[in-house]
mmCIF file of all heavy atoms in Angstrom:
data_model
loop_
_atom_site.group_PDB
_atom_site.id
_atom_site.type_symbol
_atom_site.label_atom_id
_atom_site.label_comp_id
_atom_site.label_asym_id
_atom_site.label_seq_id
_atom_site.Cartn_x
_atom_site.Cartn_y
_atom_site.Cartn_z
ATOM 1 N N ARG M 82 32.884 -49.455 55.232
ATOM 2 C CA ARG M 82 34.261 -49.726 55.614
ATOM 3 C C ARG M 82 34.447 -49.289 57.052
ATOM 4 O O ARG M 82 34.087 -48.178 57.413
ATOM 5 C CB ARG M 82 35.203 -48.950 54.701
ATOM 6 C CG ARG M 82 36.662 -49.134 55.056
ATOM 7 C CD ARG M 82 37.506 -48.570 53.970
ATOM 8 N NE ARG M 82 37.001 -48.985 52.660
ATOM 9 C CZ ARG M 82 37.455 -48.506 51.519
ATOM 10 N NH1 ARG M 82 38.399 -47.603 51.521
ATOM 11 N NH2 ARG M 82 36.969 -48.942 50.385
ATOM 12 N N THR M 83 35.007 -50.172 57.860
ATOM 13 C CA THR M 83 35.196 -49.833 59.264
ATOM 14 C C THR M 83 36.619 -49.339 59.488
ATOM 15 O O THR M 83 37.558 -49.815 58.860
ATOM 16 C CB THR M 83 34.957 -51.047 60.170
ATOM 17 O OG1 THR M 83 35.898 -52.057 59.821
ATOM 18 C CG2 THR M 83 33.559 -51.585 59.983
ATOM 19 N N GLN M 84 36.758 -48.384 60.409
ATOM 20 C CA GLN M 84 38.071 -47.873 60.767
ATOM 21 C C GLN M 84 38.196 -47.895 62.275
ATOM 22 O O GLN M 84 37.437 -47.209 62.972
ATOM 23 C CB GLN M 84 38.232 -46.441 60.259
ATOM 24 C CG GLN M 84 39.029 -46.324 58.984
ATOM 25 C CD GLN M 84 39.127 -44.874 58.542
ATOM 26 O OE1 GLN M 84 38.188 -44.322 57.994
ATOM 27 N NE2 GLN M 84 40.256 -44.255 58.815
ATOM 28 N N HIS M 85 39.161 -48.632 62.714
ATOM 29 C CA HIS M 85 39.393 -48.815 64.139
ATOM 30 C C HIS M 85 39.548 -47.451 64.807
ATOM 31 O O HIS M 85 40.400 -46.657 64.435
ATOM 32 C CB HIS M 85 40.641 -49.663 64.359
ATOM 33 C CG HIS M 85 40.816 -50.102 65.782
ATOM 34 N ND1 HIS M 85 41.875 -50.879 66.180
ATOM 35 C CD2 HIS M 85 40.065 -49.895 66.874
ATOM 36 C CE1 HIS M 85 41.773 -51.112 67.470
ATOM 37 N NE2 HIS M 85 40.677 -50.519 67.913
ATOM 38 N N GLY M 86 38.722 -47.219 65.800
ATOM 39 C CA GLY M 86 38.842 -45.997 66.570
ATOM 40 C C GLY M 86 38.224 -44.777 65.925
ATOM 41 O O GLY M 86 38.288 -43.688 66.492
ATOM 42 N N VAL M 87 37.625 -44.948 64.766
ATOM 43 C CA VAL M 87 37.046 -43.800 64.074
ATOM 44 C C VAL M 87 35.553 -43.996 63.858
ATOM 45 O O VAL M 87 34.740 -43.208 64.341
ATOM 46 C CB VAL M 87 37.734 -43.577 62.715
ATOM 47 C CG1 VAL M 87 37.210 -42.317 62.072
ATOM 48 C CG2 VAL M 87 39.238 -43.525 62.906
ATOM 49 N N GLY M 88 35.203 -45.040 63.162
ATOM 50 C CA GLY M 88 33.799 -45.280 62.862
ATOM 51 C C GLY M 88 33.679 -46.145 61.624
ATOM 52 O O GLY M 88 34.681 -46.617 61.089
ATOM 53 N N THR M 89 32.454 -46.365 61.202
ATOM 54 C CA THR M 89 32.281 -47.090 59.946
ATOM 55 C C THR M 89 31.567 -46.179 58.962
ATOM 56 O O THR M 89 30.663 -45.437 59.331
ATOM 57 C CB THR M 89 31.507 -48.409 60.135
ATOM 58 O OG1 THR M 89 30.153 -48.210 59.757
ATOM 59 C CG2 THR M 89 31.575 -48.882 61.556
ATOM 60 N N PHE M 90 32.012 -46.221 57.719
ATOM 61 C CA PHE M 90 31.545 -45.284 56.706
ATOM 62 C C PHE M 90 31.005 -46.032 55.504
ATOM 63 O O PHE M 90 31.521 -47.094 55.149
ATOM 64 C CB PHE M 90 32.708 -44.393 56.264
ATOM 65 C CG PHE M 90 33.332 -43.637 57.412
ATOM 66 C CD1 PHE M 90 34.297 -44.239 58.207
ATOM 67 C CD2 PHE M 90 32.930 -42.347 57.709
ATOM 68 C CE1 PHE M 90 34.863 -43.557 59.271
ATOM 69 C CE2 PHE M 90 33.488 -41.660 58.764
ATOM 70 C CZ PHE M 90 34.453 -42.265 59.550
ATOM 71 N N VAL M 91 29.973 -45.509 54.925
ATOM 72 C CA VAL M 91 29.450 -46.160 53.718
ATOM 73 C C VAL M 91 30.399 -45.825 52.585
ATOM 74 O O VAL M 91 30.799 -44.678 52.411
ATOM 75 C CB VAL M 91 28.005 -45.732 53.389
ATOM 76 C CG1 VAL M 91 27.195 -45.602 54.653
ATOM 77 C CG2 VAL M 91 27.983 -44.451 52.620
ATOM 78 N N THR M 92 30.793 -46.845 51.838
ATOM 79 C CA THR M 92 31.781 -46.662 50.784
ATOM 80 C C THR M 92 31.178 -45.860 49.647
ATOM 81 O O THR M 92 30.053 -46.110 49.253
ATOM 82 C CB THR M 92 32.261 -48.018 50.251
ATOM 83 O OG1 THR M 92 31.128 -48.748 49.806
ATOM 84 C CG2 THR M 92 32.974 -48.799 51.314
ATOM 85 N N PRO M 93 31.952 -44.907 49.156
ATOM 86 C CA PRO M 93 31.477 -44.127 48.014
ATOM 87 C C PRO M 93 31.505 -44.992 46.769
ATOM 88 O O PRO M 93 32.548 -45.206 46.178
ATOM 89 C CB PRO M 93 32.482 -42.983 47.928
ATOM 90 C CG PRO M 93 33.706 -43.494 48.579
ATOM 91 C CD PRO M 93 33.297 -44.532 49.564
ATOM 92 N N ARG M 94 30.354 -45.491 46.416
ATOM 93 C CA ARG M 94 30.282 -46.413 45.284
ATOM 94 C C ARG M 94 30.394 -45.681 43.962
ATOM 95 O O ARG M 94 29.807 -44.637 43.796
ATOM 96 C CB ARG M 94 28.955 -47.150 45.324
ATOM 97 C CG ARG M 94 28.947 -48.234 46.369
ATOM 98 C CD ARG M 94 28.680 -49.546 45.697
ATOM 99 N NE ARG M 94 29.078 -50.622 46.559
ATOM 100 C CZ ARG M 94 29.200 -51.871 46.136
ATOM 101 N NH1 ARG M 94 28.958 -52.160 44.892
ATOM 102 N NH2 ARG M 94 29.560 -52.818 46.942
ATOM 103 N N PRO M 95 31.138 -46.263 43.040
ATOM 104 C CA PRO M 95 31.095 -45.736 41.683
ATOM 105 C C PRO M 95 29.665 -45.819 41.144
ATOM 106 O O PRO M 95 28.817 -46.488 41.718
ATOM 107 C CB PRO M 95 32.020 -46.672 40.918
ATOM 108 C CG PRO M 95 32.904 -47.275 41.950
ATOM 109 C CD PRO M 95 32.065 -47.360 43.193
ATOM 110 N N ALA M 96 29.434 -45.128 40.056
ATOM 111 C CA ALA M 96 28.082 -45.003 39.523
ATOM 112 C C ALA M 96 27.390 -46.362 39.357
ATOM 113 O O ALA M 96 26.286 -46.565 39.851
ATOM 114 C CB ALA M 96 28.120 -44.293 38.184
ATOM 115 N N VAL M 97 28.056 -47.269 38.695
ATOM 116 C CA VAL M 97 27.434 -48.557 38.448
ATOM 117 C C VAL M 97 27.511 -49.412 39.697
ATOM 118 O O VAL M 97 28.563 -49.555 40.293
ATOM 119 C CB VAL M 97 28.130 -49.294 37.296
ATOM 120 C CG1 VAL M 97 27.472 -50.625 37.064
ATOM 121 C CG2 VAL M 97 28.071 -48.447 36.052
#
Side-chain angles (χ1 to χ4, degrees):
Chain M
R82 178 169 315 172
T83 61
Q84 260 179 282
H85 190 180
V87 185
T89 100
F90 302 84
V91 321
T92 57
R94 284 239 162 193
V97 180

